[in-house]
Amino acid sequence: MSNAPSKILVIDDDLTARLVLKKMLEEQGYEVVTANDGIEGVKQAQQLRPALIICDWMMPRMDGIEVCRYIKGEPELATIFFILLTARDGVEDRVQGLDSGADDFLSKPVESSELKARVRAGLRLHRVYQDLQDQKRILECELAEAAEYVRSLLPLPLDRKIKIDTRFVPSRHLGGDCFDYYWLDPDYLAIYLLDVSGHGLGAALPSISVLNLLRSQSMDGVNFYQPNHVLTALNEAFQMDFQNDKYFTIWYGVYNQARRQLIYSSAGHPPAILISESPDKTLQISQLKTVSLPIGMMPDTKFVNQRCTVEDHSTLYIFSDGVYEIHQTDGEVWGLDAFIQLLAKHRDTIHQHGLNYILDYVKSLNSKEVFEDDLSLLQIQFS
C-alpha cells in the first residue's frame, strides 16, 4: 500500500480562500494543488487525478455545478470525491448540488474542524471506491481469461467436403455457450451446441464439463450415433438438483455423409436452420427441432430423434439464442423469425462474406456496446 500523501485539488476564484484552504490541508499532511477557476480546475483534475476535489460553487466561466457534472461524467475521474463549497443553505440548492453529482458540501465560511472531518470522510470513501474499482478490474480480467480458455477448447474450422465455420462472442459476464464437432468414424460427423442457464463461471464450468464428457465419449453404454441416447445420458448425469440449479439446452446431430442423412435431437434449444434449393431453384427453409425439456429439469424426460435428407449445396446453421434475442434501440427484441429471414434473404451475401456479415448485422441492431448473452453460431456447408 502506498504511503504517499493524498492529493487534493482546491478550485476557487478567490485567492484568499484558496490560500486558506491550502494551508489548512497541508497542515494535515495532504498534497494540495489549486486552480483559480473551473476550466483550469478540470485541466488539473485530468492531469493529476486527485483523490478529492473542493470546488467553489460560484465562479466565472465555469461554475462548481458545471465542474462537478464534468468530473462525474468522465469514467476515469468519476470516483474522485467531490465537495462543493457554498454559502447557500437552501434545500433546493443542496438538491441541485447532489443531482449534479456532488458527494458532500462545505459551508462558507469554512470552519477548520469541519473541513478536516469532511475531508477525512471523503478520502475514506474514495479509498473504498478505488478498492471496488480494483476488484472489478481483477474480476473482469479473470472472466476474460476464462472466456479465452473456453475459446481455446472450441474446435477449429473445418474445410473439407463439409465446411464448418464458427463464431463465439462471449458476453461481458461470460456465459455457458459451448459447441463441438468431430468424426465418430470416416462417415459420421457429430455436431452439437449447448447453452447453460445463467452467466459467469457458474455457467461456463458445466458447459466445459459437458464438452469434455462428449469429446472423450466416456459415458458407458451410450450410442453416440443416436442423438436421443446422448441427451438421455446427459439428462441423467446433469440433473439441476445436483448442479447448483443449472440446466442447459442442447442441439445434437449426427450426419452420415455417405447417405447424406442427418439425424438430430434437441432439448429446449432453438431449432437448427437448414437452407437448401429445390430442383426448380426454390429456396427451402427447414427448422430442425424436437420438443422436449432442457437437460437437467426433469429426470425422466424423453428425447426423440428426427431425420432429414441433406441436399447438395445446403447450409445448416446451429446457434444459441444470444444470436437473435437482441434488444434493439427501439426496445423491441429482434427475434428468431427475423434472424431466419436474414439467413434466407441475404444467403448469397453471407456465402460471399462469411459469418462476419451476420455478426456485423446483429451488432448494428444491438442497443448496447456488448451482448447481454453469449453468442454462438455454426455454419455447416454441404458440398
Side-chain angles (χ1 to χ4, degrees), residues 267-281:
H269 201 80
I273 305 301
L274 181 64
I275 301 177
S276 57
E277 285 186 359
S278 62
D280 62 358
K281 299 299 182 180

Side-chain angles (χ1 to χ4, degrees), residues 154-160 162-168 179 181 189 191 193 315-319 350-359 376-382:
L154 301 178
L156 296 174
L158 195 64
D159 190 10
R160 300 179 185 174
I162 299 174
K163 295 183 179 182
I164 303 180
D165 196 13
T166 68
R167 293 295 183 274
F168 170 66
F179 56 81
Y181 41 85
L189 177 68
I191 310 166
L193 190 152
T315 303
L316 179 68
Y317 292 96
I318 309 169
F319 44 87
I350 294 170
H351 283 177
Q352 181 179 355
H353 297 283
L355 293 182
N356 285 340
Y357 178 83
I358 298 176
L359 280 187
S376 296
L377 176 61
L378 278 64
Q379 179 193 62
I380 301 96
Q381 295 177 285
F382 303 92

Side-chain angles (χ1 to χ4, degrees), residues 161 260 275-277 310-315 347 382-383:
K161 189 174 182 181
R260 305 192 66 86
I275 301 177
S276 57
E277 285 186 359
V310 179
E311 301 296 337
D312 198 18
H313 302 297
S314 297
T315 303
R347 183 189 183 203
F382 303 92
S383 60

Side-chain angles (χ1 to χ4, degrees), residues 118-186:
R118 292 189 182 277
V119 167
R120 286 196 300 268
L123 291 175
R124 284 197 300 270
L125 285 173
H126 178 262
R127 282 192 288 272
V128 172
Y129 295 155
Q130 290 298 103
D131 289 343
L132 289 174
Q133 290 296 317
D134 291 342
Q135 291 300 317
K136 179 184 177 184
R137 282 190 287 270
I138 291 172
L139 180 60
E140 288 178 345
C141 287
E142 290 177 348
L143 290 175
E145 289 180 4
E148 193 58 36
Y149 174 68
V150 172
R151 192 190 301 276
S152 72
L153 296 176
L154 301 178
L156 296 174
L158 195 64
D159 190 10
R160 300 179 185 174
K161 189 174 182 181
I162 299 174
K163 295 183 179 182
I164 303 180
D165 196 13
T166 68
R167 293 295 183 274
F168 170 66
V169 183
S171 70
R172 176 181 294 169
H173 303 290
L174 183 66
D177 280 15
C178 210
F179 56 81
D180 201 5
Y181 41 85
Y182 44 84
W183 293 96
L184 297 171
D185 65 36

